[in-house]
Amino acid sequence: MTDPNGLTVRRARTPDVPRIEELIAPLVSKRILLGKDLAVLYGSVQEFRVAEEPGGLVVGCGALHVMWQDLAEVRTLAVDPLWRKRRVGHVLLEQLERDAHELGVGKLFCLTFEVDFFVGHGFAPVGEGIVGPDVVAELARSGDEGVAEFLDLPRVKPNTLGNTRMLKVLQAL
């Protein structure tokens, strides 16, 4: 997909992983995003979309991680500081929503500090209870730290960062 600003949003490929790591590193150091080892990034490369400027430089990334039958998480949405305020995050999130529709997912979840950005895309802050106790029991078996954070499991530190839990129910296509 290409947007009017000349950005191309495409599936990430393994050669993009070092650039994805560069894009998220400043946000990890500011404790805005969870850090991910290169092995984890390579292992989840198929979940990522990247935004590429006309010269071929990857200027943004974002991932869609399916958590359950009808629930997926928007993860690791990051934009090069030189490209902020140029709609890169918007085009990435819109593509991740299309990907969710394609997969049959009806709800998108995120943990974020960018509340206004996500509200502008139809997300709303939510508390606990996004999924029922039976689903919580199944998800609790996952070794994925993002799932553990979503469930607020005891093995995850309390949300001292102050990010907001948000949810969007997708419209049927």
Side-chain angles (χ1 to χ4, degrees), residues 1-133:
M1 177 198 110
T2 304
D3 85 329
N5 297 317
L7 291 173
T8 300
V9 176
R10 61 169 174 78
R11 292 202 174 280
R13 299 184 292 260
T14 56
D16 297 319
V17 170
R19 178 63 177 150
I20 291 169
E21 184 184 44
E22 283 178 28
L23 288 169
I24 66 174
L27 300 171
V28 170
S29 69
K30 292 178 184 174
R31 296 177 39 129
I32 292 171
L33 289 179
L34 290 176
K36 291 182 171 63
D37 293 327
L38 272 175
V40 171
L41 289 173
Y42 280 112
S44 60
V45 72
Q46 70 279 1
E47 296 180 352
F48 277 86
R49 291 288 186 156
V50 294
E52 197 173 64
E53 55 95 38
L57 178 67
V58 170
V59 296
C61 64
L64 181 72
H65 179 76
V66 176
M67 296 175 75
W68 199 250
Q69 177 182 348
D70 199 35
L71 182 68
E73 181 182 7
V74 173
R75 289 183 171 180
T76 321
L77 191 59
V79 175
D80 184 308
L82 298 174
W83 279 81
R84 294 218 176 104
K85 304 295 183 197
R86 293 169 75 178
R87 302 203 48 83
V88 176
H90 296 276
V91 297
L92 281 163
L93 183 57
E94 289 163 3
Q95 181 60 56
L96 294 173
E97 286 187 23
R98 284 191 293 277
D99 292 347
H101 273 294
E102 201 174 282
L103 291 167
V105 171
K107 296 178 199 160
L108 287 180
F109 163 78
C110 68
L111 286 168
T112 186
F113 289 101
E114 299 295 335
V115 173
D116 292 340
F117 172 81
F118 281 95
V119 165
H121 284 272
F123 284 74
V126 292
E128 296 177 15
I130 295 172
V131 295

Side-chain angles (χ1 to χ4, degrees), residues 149-169:
E149 243 192 318
F150 164 74
L151 295 174
D152 203 19
L153 296 179
R155 76 173 197 248
V156 178
K157 66 180 174 22
N159 183 4
T160 55
L161 298 180
N163 54 7
T164 300
R165 188 181 299 242
M166 301 187 81
L167 185 73
K168 178 177 183 175
V169 177

